[in-house]
Amino acid sequence: MWELVKLSAELPSNIRRAVDSLELSVITHALLELAQKFNSFYHKYPIMNEKDDAERQRRAVCAEVFRRTMVAALDLMGIPVPARM
């Protein structure tokens, strides 16, 4: 879980690196890594089937951090976000 939060928190520095180097690929690479980590997280730690309320809440918050990060980054790049994935 913390790896997802850490990668999300690193996005602003990746954006600065992309701007400084004029390389959009820095952002896209970071987002791909983040998406792959979330995919692994989601399969390893299901949210809805978790019986412990506190753990389910932690996982849901982690998923929300991921969602907000991806939406903001896609918006920054001018990529429309689908209503549902």
Side-chain angles (χ1 to χ4, degrees), residues 1-5 34-47 55-64 66:
M1 268 192 284
W2 293 115
E3 184 68 22
L4 274 176
V5 174
L34 180 62
Q36 289 171 332
K37 290 286 183 186
F38 181 76
N39 185 54
S40 295
F41 164 80
Y42 189 77
H43 286 289
K44 189 173 182 180
Y45 304 105
I47 297 169
E55 181 63 21
R56 186 173 51 250
Q57 183 65 27
R58 280 189 290 274
R59 292 177 187 181
V61 167
C62 190
E64 180 62 15
F66 166 77

Side-chain angles (χ1 to χ4, degrees), residues 11 15 24 27-28 31 69-82:
L11 185 62
I15 292 169
L24 181 63
I27 299 171
T28 58
L31 292 179
T69 301
M70 289 300 284
V71 166
L74 292 172
D75 184 56
L76 176 71
M77 294 187 299
I79 299 171
V81 177

Side-chain angles (χ1 to χ4, degrees), residues 1-35:
M1 268 192 284
W2 293 115
E3 184 68 22
L4 274 176
V5 174
K6 179 180 165 266
L7 288 173
S8 293
E10 290 174 353
L11 185 62
S13 66
N14 285 322
I15 292 169
R16 281 191 291 280
R17 279 192 359 206
V19 169
D20 291 345
S21 65
L22 300 176
E23 286 289 335
L24 181 63
S25 65
V26 172
I27 299 171
T28 58
H29 178 71
L31 292 179
L32 177 60
E33 182 181 5
L34 180 62

